[in-house]
Amino acid sequence: MKTQLRRCATALAVAALSVGTLAATAEAAPTAGSSARAAADNGDPTLTDVYIWATDVNLRSRPTTDSPRLAVRSKYWLDAVCQTQGQYVNDPAVGGNNWWTAVQEFAGSDIAWVNNLYIRGGEKIAGVPDC
């Protein structure tokens, strides 16, 4: 019940978020190895860790490519808050998808959205609840 209340509160916060920014001074994690994973381990233990497998992936303020870009990450671990359907994204190299995941860089950081095309796990990420 406690986890369910936390997820509901988080989903409401995500829905209420209109514009946010990620820490401008945050450094990108190394491209591989345990130190990249260590960044995700500093996050919220109740959230699912997800991995952006691609390079130069835009993190957006809403689940659409028209929304402001908050950050760009490459081969990076994040905490997934929830996922929802948003704008369909087509990338000729990897396909298309309309599922987006709300992510945090670390516990308490602002929410950003990334299209699931660029997250390991497929069209809809297992272990990440719907928003």
Side-chain angles (χ1 to χ4, degrees):
M1 181 69 171
K2 186 177 180 181
T3 300
Q4 207 170 26
L5 287 174
R6 177 172 163 59
R7 285 189 174 155
C8 287
T10 302
L12 287 173
V14 168
L17 181 67
S18 61
V19 176
T21 58
L22 294 172
T25 59
E27 293 183 26
T31 58
S34 61
S35 57
R37 178 61 189 206
D41 291 340
N42 290 330
D44 188 330
T46 65
L47 299 176
T48 301
D49 293 341
V50 294
Y51 183 69
I52 295 177
W53 61 266
T55 57
D56 299 325
V57 175
N58 294 318
L59 279 62
R60 302 275 183 181
S61 64
R62 285 183 236 89
T64 172
T65 59
D66 295 331
S67 65
R69 179 177 54 205
L70 303 176
V72 177
R73 296 292 179 256
S74 298
K75 300 181 180 180
Y76 198 77
W77 287 96
L78 296 161
D79 286 335
V81 176
C82 62
Q83 60 189 330
T84 191
Q85 292 182 324
Q87 179 187 9
Y88 184 83
V89 173
N90 185 41
D91 183 332
V94 294
N97 192 357
N98 69 335
W99 281 93
W100 292 69
T101 297
V103 296
Q104 292 180 306
E105 287 202 80
F106 50 86
S109 70
D110 291 335
I111 300 295
W113 292 90
V114 61
N115 189 278
N116 287 6
L117 277 176
Y118 307 107
I119 298 175
R120 225 183 251 165
E123 180 179 2
K124 195 169 179 203
I125 311 301
V128 178
D130 291 351
C131 296

